[in-house]
């Protein structure tokens, strides 16, 4: 299968579904990692241009760990708004390029509008993938991908429908997350009131993985909410690893 994970920012995917992606890759599936934005405001010291360059390089390094391809749609961080036609076509083109069978994306209920909009656009365009009259660089293909939302920051208000045991891939997940050095620095600076130390992001991710593992009766797990709308259920088989 072709697996696509779409996050709003570099570090979203590493935080919430990298273990599952590592498991897919180990099973021989093709994995793509994409971000809507380039993370260009995520630094207290670098220019926006330099921040974007660094964040994209970190994301590409992370993807390389599991042999995934990284793609950035290059929208501005925190200034990501939907121009309905252009933005939808950009996302449709991304999915068509990857020929995705399964897509993971942000929750549509989160603290950050970039997260919510990314998840909502993926939800919106999934059924448009096979429609030839929606012309993009890459041609349509005859699949409506199954959509899975990973959890929001700190798992707030999120009840998974499904879990993936990532115990054997947890260290790989943490290696991918460790590539996000600039994000760790940004979190420590911007959210100092929350006591984000140098490894604060890693601690938060570890706690959530342990909590989902408790629910799934394993050491570490990632939880997902399946999009159950008409035309997107694909209930005939379990597609999660």
């Amino acid at each position: 299968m072709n697996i696509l994970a779409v996050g709003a920012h570099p570090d979203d995917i590493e935080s919430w579904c990298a273990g599952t992606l590592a498991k897919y890759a180990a099973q021989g599936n093709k994995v793509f990692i994409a971000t809507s934005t380039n993370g260009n405001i995520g630094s207290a010291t670098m220019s926006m241009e330099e921040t974007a360059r660094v964040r994209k390089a970190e994301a590409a390094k992370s993807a390389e760990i599991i042999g995934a391809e990284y793609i950035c749609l290059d929208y501005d961080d925190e200034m990501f708004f939907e121009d309905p036609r252009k933005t939808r076509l950009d996302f449709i083109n991304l999915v068509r390029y990857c020929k995705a069978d399964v897509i993971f994306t942000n929750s549509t209920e989160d603290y950050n509008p970039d997260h919510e909009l990314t998840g909502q656009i993926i939800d919106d365009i999934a059924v448009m993938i096979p429609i030839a009259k929606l012309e993009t660089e890459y041609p349509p293909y005859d699949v409506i991908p199954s959509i899975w939302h990973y959890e929001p920051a700190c798992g707030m208000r999120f009840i998974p429908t499904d879990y993936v045991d990532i115990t054997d891939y947890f260290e790989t997940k943490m290696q991918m997350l460790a590539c996000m050095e600039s994000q760790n620095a940004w979190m420590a600076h911007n959210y100092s009131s929350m006591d984000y130390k140098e490894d604060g992001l890693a601690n938060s991710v570890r706690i959530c993985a342990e909590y989902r593992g408790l629910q799934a009766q394993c050491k570490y797990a990632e939880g997902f909410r399946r999009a159950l709308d008409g035309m997107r259920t694909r209930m005939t088989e379990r597609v999660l690893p």
Side-chain angles (χ1 to χ4, degrees):
M1 292 190 298
N2 292 336
I3 312 301
L4 170 62
V6 185
H9 312 105
D11 87 282
D12 291 352
I13 289 161
E14 287 76 11
S15 296
W16 309 117
C17 69
T20 298
L21 298 183
K23 194 169 186 176
Y24 270 122
Q27 293 174 352
N29 299 285
K30 174 64 177 173
V31 177
F32 299 86
I33 293 175
T35 56
S36 308
T37 79
N38 52 31
N40 61 356
I41 70 158
S43 172
T45 58
M46 295 184 288
S47 69
M48 292 177 68
E49 293 76 13
E50 178 68 4
T51 302
R53 186 192 67 77
V54 169
R55 296 292 299 276
K56 288 191 285 186
E58 290 172 346
K61 182 180 178 182
S62 166
E64 202 173 282
I65 290 173
I66 59 170
E69 179 178 346
Y70 172 64
I71 302 158
C72 182
L73 295 182
D74 245 349
Y75 286 89
D76 283 334
D77 191 357
E78 308 303 334
M79 291 293 129
F80 174 41
F81 299 97
E82 186 176 8
D83 169 345
R85 185 168 187 83
K86 180 187 184 304
T87 310
R88 288 188 183 190
L89 289 174
D90 282 349
F91 277 74
I92 291 169
N93 191 56
L94 167 68
V95 175
R96 287 175 173 175
Y97 168 74
C98 300
K99 293 186 177 179
D101 298 295
V102 179
I103 303 177
F104 296 91
T105 191
N106 294 93
S107 171
T108 55
E109 296 181 82
D110 206 343
Y111 82 101
N112 184 285
D114 292 352
H115 293 187
E116 294 181 331
L117 182 55
T118 296
Q120 189 60 59
I121 291 172
I122 289 294
D123 258 357
D124 291 342
I125 61 98
V127 296
M128 304 176 191
I129 301 306
I131 300 174
K133 288 183 179 178
L134 295 172
E135 296 182 6
T136 58
E137 178 183 359
Y138 293 95
Y141 62 102
D142 193 23
V143 169
I144 296 173
S146 63
I147 308 299
W148 301 82
H149 295 277
Y150 47 79
E151 61 185 295
C154 305
M156 301 296 287
R157 305 182 307 279
F158 189 81
I159 301 176
T161 60
D162 296 82
Y163 299 84
V164 175
D165 180 350
I166 63 162
T167 303
D168 294 339
Y169 300 92
F170 181 74
E171 292 307 320
T172 302
K173 171 187 175 79
M174 300 309 283
Q175 289 172 21
M176 294 171 71
L177 186 65
C179 294
M180 303 293 143
E181 294 180 15
S182 65
Q183 176 68 358
N184 254 324
W186 171 242
M187 296 290 281
H189 171 85
N190 204 47
Y191 298 105
S192 57
S193 63
M194 296 173 64
D195 196 27
Y196 268 105
K197 299 181 177 66
E198 184 178 348
D199 60 349
L201 182 59
N203 283 339
S204 172
V205 168
R206 182 184 300 274
I207 289 167
C208 285
E210 289 175 342
Y211 177 54
R212 298 305 179 194
L214 176 66
Q215 295 173 334
Q217 300 182 41
C218 59
K219 187 171 182 180
Y220 297 111
E222 290 171 338
F224 302 98
R225 186 179 292 164
R226 183 198 308 243
L228 291 173
D229 308 87
M231 309 298 179
R232 284 181 288 187
T233 53
R234 296 184 67 185
M235 297 287 285
T236 54
E237 60 178 336
R238 177 178 167 91
V239 297
L240 297 182

